Amino acid sequence: MTNHWIDIKNADVVVVMGGNAAENHPVGFSWVTEAMQHNNAKLVVVDPRFNRSAAVADYYANLRSGSDIAFFLGLIRYLIDTNQVNYDYVKTFTNASFIVREDYGYEDGLFTGYDPKTGSYDKESWFYELDDQGYAMVDESLEHPRCVWNLLKQHVDRYTIDKVVNITGTPKAQYEQVCQVIGATHANNKVATFLYALGWTQHTKGAQNIRSMAMVQLILGNMGMLGGGVNALRGHSNIQGITDMGLLCQNLPGYLKLPSDKDVDLQAHFEHHAPKPLRPGQTNYWQNYPKFFVSLMKSFWGEAATPENNFGYEWMPKWDMQYDVLRYFEMMKQGKVNGYIVQGFNVLSSLPNKAKINEALAKLKFLVVVDPLAVETATFWRNKKLFNEVDTANIMTEVFRLPTGCFAEEEGTIVNSGRWMQWHWKGANSPKEAKADGEIWAGILAELKRLYAEEGGALPEAVAALDWQYVNPANPTAEEVAKQLNGQDVATGRQLSSFGELKADGSTACGCWIYTGSWTEQGNMMARRDNADPSGKGITPGWSFAWPANRRILYNRASADVNGNPWDKDRTLMEWTDGKWTGIDVPDFNSKLDPQASAKTGFLMQPEGHARLFANRLMAEGPFPEHYEPMESPIGTNPMHPEVITNPAVRIFADDKAQLGDFEDFPYVGTSYHLTEHFNNWTTHSRLNAIAQPQHFIEMDEVLAKQKGIANGDWVKVSSKRNYIVTKALVTKRLQPYVVNGKTLHTIGIPLHANYEGLTREAYEINSLTPYVGDANTQTPEYKAFLVNIEKAEAI
Amino acid sequence: MNRRQFFKLCAGGVATSAIAGLGLMPTLAFAAPREFKLIRAKETRNNCCYCSVGCGLLMYSRGDVSKNVEPSLFHIEGDADHPVSRGALCPKGAGLLDFVNSPNRLQYPEYRAPGAATWQRISWQEAFTRIARLMKDDRDQNMIKTNAAGTPVNRWMTTGMLTASAQSNEAGFLTQKFARGLGLVAVDTQARI
Ligand code: SF4
């Protein structure tokens, strides 16, 4: 979230799309109802299903899963057509006025630079025109034919309302109404917030779904505002913190990058990641990258990181391609992986195409499962009739199942969606011999260090150098690690109070630069529990610590105009008065600069200081979003450009491509979601939740049910090209057929709480059905739009 | 007899008990039933482990959490001081106690031999020793020290790691150090999916 949970109360319009907050984030959703009751806010819900958020909405619009980009590009066109654009904001804070290179272009579904052989783009032309000093050229009048604004106008011009609803299946009146309600927030004193979740990410163009919405927020002037922003309602309790910790294949803590083969040495790594400013007078905050990186190396390698050895840079592993979990299971299936460690992740029940996951795991020499619960992954080798039919005796994988504690049995921090780092305390012991995760790594590492010291081996110096100097190396405490994450002055051990103090010379150590300030000489800032809200706007500066720098609303320079006057007096966040900046939040800009200078750096992590309507070379499939069909399209064509149906930059492996189904055999749109009683299949192990929702089922509309002779509560077989599941049918009015490109379509809604080792009734896992293909940027699998068939079945 | 008198009577009945003797008698009699339920409980603040609303929790346990005392969390409720959740929990959070005390919690390290159909219980030291040996042999055989261009790359491709998004930051940082320190590149978490 650029904003945070309580801030939702400041909105005039709340849009829930690509998520279902009432059901999946119920307590956070109480701030939506607060806004409705006390701020007269309107709730708009756009979803393929009339879900629980829709049930309390003022406006609801139906759309076919996988058509969100068309919905938004049509909305942008509508905003421009009806002059509902906040031009002052757009000119001040976005790259609308930046001039794009002459060789950039778009035609019939493809941007310039596409290579059909590799299925990827040469993105060279997707960039600004630069002057001889290397600065981007701009035309503040927005008249230049190649300025971003005019290119955007041209790009969205094709998305007339009729074309949009033909793709999305939304009734035209519903679509126009939603456009109107959202459009009204272009006014300086009206603000909309968007709340989304996996309903947007789990598509082969998930990142572009989100970009489309972010562009709308910029055009309306809703970024950096109280009650506005781009608000991802994240899933797992600490998925934000673990992303901050960089536990992704190309990341390091604090959004630093794991070096690649191209970074031949430390200098090259810095050159690639500390950008040059693209406009004069930029803060260009990533220019500080070397300070953050060297401080991280000091926290990794301790005393062994010296200027002479480039702070241990050489020991860091370098990637040559993105080894995301989908690619890695493909490699595993091909027999290229020997060992795998799975911590708190029921991978057998969650990655797409379960049969492939089973096959891959069986190729391993060893599997280590570290988990508090008896999850299916650890027993993938066990034959479980119907649900896991495998040949146990022929699975030669050695498996270890190691018990861990849970949240209640440890202390430490988790980070909520609003970036609040909340410290928690231990309230119980873990069962019997269970150990904390860190204690388990410590145990294995101690053995490895001993073996390498005794026997030598490959790169033993890295194993020896890896810093593990905790008071009790066998069980590091949360307190000492939290202090390390905050960062220290190496010589004195003083806790730093701001990332401005970090140095690139090895004199500071810091595990995660964006966390600096969370544990200072004043103590543990994350454990603070003052819930006072002096401004009444939901800014509780004394409760926990919000990264970065205890800032609650990101991009808050954009809450005021170019002269530093708030767009809306009632939403004053930062204000220029009597020659200085004041406000209720921590400035997200250089507050030593005057309003005009600071306005140019409103998005200070960008080398041009402006938010990007045109994404330059950051995205795999284009600098602007474009509508592409899901990999399994229910209409088999793309009404915008029949020659380019699906995302042209998608990566798909040959065996998975062969397992894509078509709409003739699998005519219905399958989409997955959660019930409020269950968190994936984790809660199936909790008795109360198992009692509340003991049985798996799917949802289908009444028209289709009648056609198929399926009654409410009947057993049904749902199949995809990959496999099938047998479950119960819930026939409901919540789903309705819709007409897309002249065809009547039906959605099969598939809740996720299905497994067979929990306390619920044994069920087929739904990842048996889903396609093994991900978003072209993130590789997040397409769980929200795939093709299935359905028929009546025998009871199981 | 009205409600107030009833509680006064109850309170009188325990006037000589240890609770009163220790000065722990509630001054407001009508608050007594709640106080009695939790009076010997240890109260701990925590956050819900499911979704990232991060609702505040009050957890009540018996015992002082020292290692030789059986764990005994017996009640979890919403923390009314929490500015986001204001004491509320959703049906997931309301069932947290049953996750903590689930019969499916793992208790001992276990091992499944190649081809076997059952687990066998092992000690932690056995687990660490065997896992470290498997990892070292694989790392020594398959560590890629330089790429075709001769650049040092030090990546270990044949072992990978999938990490938990419900672990704390502090555990997560140890996980990160462990993984990269050994040269792993195939590291991912739930944020990927
Ligand atoms: S109680 Fe519910 S809403 Fe609150 S954090 Fe837990 S799962 Fe999320």
Side-chain angles (χ1 to χ4, degrees):
Chain A
M1 291 170 96
T2 57
N3 297 36
H4 59 96
W5 290 106
I6 302 175
D7 178 66
I8 298 169
K9 75 172 183 167
N10 298 316
D12 295 303
V13 173
V14 180
V15 187
V16 175
M17 185 170 174
N20 176 14
E23 191 137 12
N24 297 325
H25 300 88
V27 179
F29 190 80
S30 70
W31 293 101
V32 177
T33 43
E34 176 106 4
M36 293 166 80
Q37 282 161 6
H38 299 292
N39 203 33
N40 201 23
K42 298 293 175 225
L43 173 62
V44 176
V45 174
V46 183
D47 200 272
R49 185 174 57 120
F50 189 81
N51 58 30
R52 279 180 166 167
S53 303
V56 292
D58 298 288
Y59 306 97
Y60 168 72
N62 197 341
L63 101 166
R64 164 174 66 113
S65 188
S67 64
D68 306 69
I69 291 174
F71 196 98
F72 277 114
L73 295 182
L75 172 59
I76 293 176
R77 183 185 191 276
Y78 164 90
L79 295 174
I80 295 171
D81 267 10
T82 55
N83 207 23
Q84 300 191 73
V85 172
N86 192 328
Y87 278 104
D88 288 341
Y89 184 103
V90 167
K91 285 183 188 168
T92 310
F93 293 115
T94 77
N95 67 357
S97 62
F98 285 54
I99 296 167
V100 173
R101 277 166 61 141
E102 208 162 352
D103 51 350
Y104 159 80
Y106 165 86
E107 208 184 334
D108 293 337
L110 292 175
F111 295 85
T112 40
Y114 188 63
D115 179 355
K117 278 205 274 322
T118 58
S120 63
Y121 280 100
D122 172 357
K123 305 178 191 171
E124 182 59 26
S125 67
W126 308 356
F127 207 67
Y128 307 131
E129 191 87 57
L130 302 181
D131 65 16
D132 24 329
Q133 289 168 63
Y135 290 134
M137 317 230 312
V138 299
D139 174 13
E140 310 245 348
S141 71
L142 301 188
E143 269 162 21
H144 194 288
R146 282 196 334 278
C147 78
V148 166
W149 188 248
N150 290 324
L151 292 177
L152 175 63
K153 266 164 108 168
Q154 203 183 323
H155 189 76
V156 300
D157 196 48
R158 298 164 293 132
Y159 287 86
T160 61
I161 293 186
D162 287 324
K163 280 221 176 108
V164 169
V165 298
N166 179 52
I167 293 172
T168 63
T170 312
K172 195 171 171 181
Q174 278 183 7
Y175 185 71
E176 285 173 331
Q177 179 133 61
V178 166
C179 286
Q180 241 173 51
V181 175
I182 295 173
T185 67
H186 77 284
N188 286 348
N189 63 347
K190 292 279 177 243
V191 177
T193 179
F194 279 79
L195 311 180
Y196 71 95
L198 276 76
W200 269 348
T201 59
Q202 290 185 323
H203 293 275
T204 41
K205 63 272 176 173
Q208 293 281 19
N209 284 338
I210 297 156
R211 248 192 79 66
S212 312
M213 172 270 289
M215 288 164 70
V216 166
Q217 286 295 67
L218 290 170
I219 290 168
L220 295 167
N222 288 336
M223 287 294 290
M225 298 288 291
L226 280 169
V230 165
N231 293 305
L233 312 185
R234 306 212 61 181
H236 281 72
S237 57
N238 198 31
I239 204 152
Q240 183 61 57
I242 292 305
T243 311
D244 301 342
M245 286 300 102
L247 282 164
L248 291 161
C249 55
Q250 293 164 307
N251 283 29
L252 288 172
Y255 302 90
L256 304 181
K257 306 295 179 198
L258 186 70
S260 79
D261 281 21
K262 290 187 186 135
D263 307 341
V264 290
D265 54 29
L266 184 62
Q267 273 319 310
H269 183 65
F270 290 164
E271 272 161 34
H272 297 152
H273 299 291
K276 302 210 165 43
L278 280 168
R279 289 291 296 157
Q282 284 307 310
T283 306
N284 182 27
Y285 210 79
W286 276 122
Q287 67 175 300
N288 297 303
Y289 189 98
K291 299 174 189 166
F292 310 150
F293 190 86
V294 170
S295 299
L296 176 68
M297 290 299 94
K298 286 298 289 179
S299 75
F300 260 62
W301 311 109
E303 287 156 15
T306 62
E308 292 69 41
N309 67 7
N310 284 317
F311 305 102
Y313 177 78
E314 216 168 85
W315 296 326
M316 292 301 289
K318 318 286 183 301
W319 54 267
D320 56 342
M321 61 170 101
Q322 182 174 316
Y323 293 104
D324 54 270
V325 65
L326 291 192
R327 182 187 297 278
Y328 206 58
F329 269 80
E330 170 69 19
M331 289 167 57
M332 205 183 283
K333 193 191 138 190
Q334 291 173 14
K336 294 179 182 159
V337 178
N338 298 322
Y340 207 45
I341 303 171
V342 181
Q343 173 203 24
F345 193 141
N346 193 5
V347 64
L348 181 67
S349 313
S350 51
L351 281 195
N353 193 359
K354 182 184 171 188
K356 178 167 176 164
I357 307 308
N358 254 325
E359 197 185 331
L361 290 172
K363 298 255 169 75
L364 289 171
K365 273 195 199 145
F366 66 97
L367 172 70
V368 181
V369 174
V370 174
D371 210 289
L373 288 166
V375 291
E376 283 78 8
T377 301
T379 43
F380 78 94
W381 43 269
R382 185 183 280 162
N383 191 302
K384 182 87 183 170
K385 208 160 170 286
L386 299 182
F387 308 111
N388 199 54
E389 308 228 14
V390 294
D391 180 5
T392 304
N394 279 316
I395 296 176
M396 290 302 152
T397 314
E398 276 186 55
V399 185
F400 300 83
R401 182 162 78 170
L402 307 179
T404 67
C406 73
F407 73 102
E409 298 149 4
E410 61 162 27
E411 57 176 18
T413 317
I414 60 172
V415 188
N416 79 0
S417 240
R419 296 166 287 100
W420 293 11
M421 301 168 67
Q422 306 194 89
W423 187 263
H424 60 262
W425 288 264
K426 175 177 173 167
N429 290 324
S430 23
K432 306 284 184 202
E433 292 187 6
K435 284 187 190 291
D437 298 72
E439 206 177 350
I440 296 174
W441 310 142
I444 300 171
L445 187 66
E447 271 301 301
L448 281 168
K449 281 186 180 256
R450 187 180 66 77
L451 290 175
Y452 274 96
E454 284 171 19
E455 304 171 359
L459 202 68
E461 53 282 19
V463 182
L466 184 62
D467 174 73
W468 211 265
Q469 291 198 13
Y470 300 105
V471 172
N472 174 6
N475 193 7
T477 65
E479 176 172 337
E480 50 192 340
V481 179
K483 287 179 170 171
Q484 188 174 33
L485 285 170
N486 174 85
Q488 293 142 345
D489 178 83
V490 172
T492 62
R494 180 179 61 87
Q495 291 295 116
L496 304 178
S497 53
S498 136
F499 42 73
E501 297 177 74
L502 294 171
K503 303 261 170 40
D505 60 4
S507 63
T508 55
C510 175
C512 185
W513 71 276
I514 55 175
Y515 286 180
T516 310
S518 63
W519 197 311
T520 65
E521 286 294 305
Q522 276 69 53
N524 184 350
M525 297 294 134
M526 303 169 287
R528 294 178 308 160
R529 294 183 50 84
D530 176 359
N531 59 12
D533 174 17
S535 67
K537 298 295 183 191
I539 308 262
T540 51
W543 182 275
S544 73
F545 181 85
W547 73 257
N550 205 27
R551 184 174 295 136
R552 306 280 159 156
I553 311 273
L554 297 184
Y555 311 118
N556 54 32
R557 172 64 189 83
S559 68
D561 68 12
V562 67
N563 296 316
N565 301 316
W567 298 107
D568 177 5
K569 271 278 164 211
D570 284 343
R571 286 192 175 83
T572 301
L573 254 176
M574 305 306 306
E575 186 174 16
W576 179 261
T577 37
D578 303 328
K580 63 175 196 306
W581 285 102
T582 58
I584 59 174
D585 199 3
V586 177
D588 192 5
F589 56 97
N590 184 347
S591 58
K592 294 196 190 91
L593 297 179
D594 68 28
Q596 289 74 22
S598 62
K600 294 197 170 69
T601 69
F603 290 77
L604 55 78
M605 304 309 287
Q606 309 275 48
E608 70 275 55
H610 290 67
R612 292 177 178 166
L613 293 170
F614 184 87
N616 293 339
R617 298 169 183 144
L618 280 185
M619 309 290 284
E621 62 281 87
F624 287 133
E626 175 61 18
H627 168 70
Y628 298 112
E629 287 287 313
M631 292 303 281
E632 295 186 324
S633 166
I635 54 173
T637 184
N638 187 327
M640 299 308 292
H641 25 72
E643 300 300 311
V644 184
I645 298 176
T646 56
N647 184 342
V650 148
R651 177 198 77 194
I652 184 163
F653 304 111
D655 55 336
D656 301 311
K657 199 167 184 178
Q659 280 193 291
L660 289 178
D662 71 36
F663 66 94
E664 270 150 22
D665 298 329
F666 302 97
Y668 311 118
V669 179
T671 192
S672 67
Y673 47 82
H674 293 94
L675 306 183
T676 201
E677 294 84 359
H678 281 300
F679 192 94
N680 295 330
N681 39 45
W682 181 353
T683 45
T684 61
H685 296 275
S686 161
R687 195 171 304 278
L688 194 65
N689 303 76
I691 292 168
Q693 285 289 357
Q695 169 71 50
H696 187 256
F697 58 87
I698 57 93
E699 292 189 87
M700 67 191 299
D701 69 60
E702 291 175 334
V703 179
L704 182 63
K706 201 159 168 218
Q707 270 176 30
K708 297 271 174 180
I710 295 167
N712 197 25
D714 278 355
W715 287 94
V716 288
K717 176 175 173 182
V718 179
S719 44
S720 75
K721 188 72 185 274
R722 273 74 55 193
N723 213 328
Y724 67 89
I725 63 170
V726 178
T727 184
K728 286 203 162 190
L730 180 72
V731 179
T732 173
K733 287 188 175 24
R734 286 187 288 270
L735 286 167
Q736 295 286 336
Y738 35 68
V739 178
V740 172
N741 211 27
K743 230 181 119 181
T744 301
L745 295 181
H746 304 272
T747 304
I748 307 292
I750 309 175
L752 281 152
H753 62 283
N755 60 345
Y756 48 84
E757 297 281 4
L759 304 172
T760 44
R761 278 188 69 172
E762 293 172 337
Y764 285 84
E765 288 141 318
I766 72 112
N767 62 326
S768 299
L769 300 175
T770 45
Y772 200 90
V773 59
D775 170 87
N777 302 279
T778 63
Q779 304 304 339
T780 297
E782 191 149 60
Y783 265 57
K784 291 298 182 256
F786 55 96
L787 293 179
V788 295
N789 203 347
I790 188 164
E791 61 194 298
K792 240 177 128 146
E794 293 292 310
I796 56 164
Chain B
M1 186 166 72
N2 66 23
R3 192 181 126 93
R4 251 193 115 83
Q5 288 166 328
F6 172 73
F7 284 132
K8 270 194 177 148
L9 199 71
C10 291
V14 292
T16 53
S17 77
I19 300 167
L22 289 169
L24 294 175
M25 268 306 283
T27 39
L28 287 176
F30 53 79
R34 192 174 175 79
E35 294 282 348
F36 275 133
K37 179 177 157 201
L38 302 172
I39 197 151
R40 275 171 302 152
K42 183 176 149 60
E43 182 184 85
T44 314
R45 309 234 176 205
N46 208 304
N47 295 93
C48 176
C49 64
Y50 293 127
C51 95
S52 62
V53 176
C55 294
L57 303 178
L58 299 175
M59 308 194 303
Y60 295 92
S61 55
R62 289 185 202 90
D64 59 358
V65 204
S66 55
K67 200 61 195 172
N68 53 0
V69 177
E70 281 297 299
S72 56
L73 212 56
F74 67 90
H75 180 66
I76 294 179
E77 65 182 41
D79 178 355
D81 293 338
H82 195 282
V84 172
S85 59
R86 301 177 287 187
L89 294 176
C90 82
K92 287 175 279 287
L96 277 170
L97 186 66
D98 283 359
F99 159 48
V100 178
N101 295 334
S102 170
N104 294 347
R105 287 292 301 273
L106 302 175
Q107 305 190 326
Y108 308 101
E110 286 157 300
Y111 176 74
R112 182 259 179 190
T118 51
W119 291 112
Q120 65 194 79
R121 190 174 153 186
I122 55 173
S123 73
W124 278 107
Q125 199 46 50
E126 284 169 313
F128 293 153
T129 310
R130 179 71 189 148
I131 293 167
R133 172 49 66 195
L134 286 163
M135 288 177 76
K136 179 165 190 293
D137 288 352
D138 187 52
R139 187 176 181 274
D140 287 349
Q141 275 161 35
N142 297 303
M143 185 79 169
I144 302 172
K145 295 189 76 172
T146 54
N147 64 11
T151 310
V153 293
N154 291 324
R155 60 173 160 261
W156 175 18
M157 295 301 311
T158 48
T159 287
M161 196 163 175
L162 211 45
T163 66
S165 283
Q167 65 180 319
S168 67
N169 284 347
E170 293 74 19
F173 187 62
L174 295 170
T175 310
Q176 174 71 276
K177 276 174 81 166
F178 175 82
R180 306 303 190 189
L182 294 172
L184 297 182
V185 275
V187 175
D188 248 336
T189 183
Q190 277 97 350
R192 176 72 63 197
I193 63 167

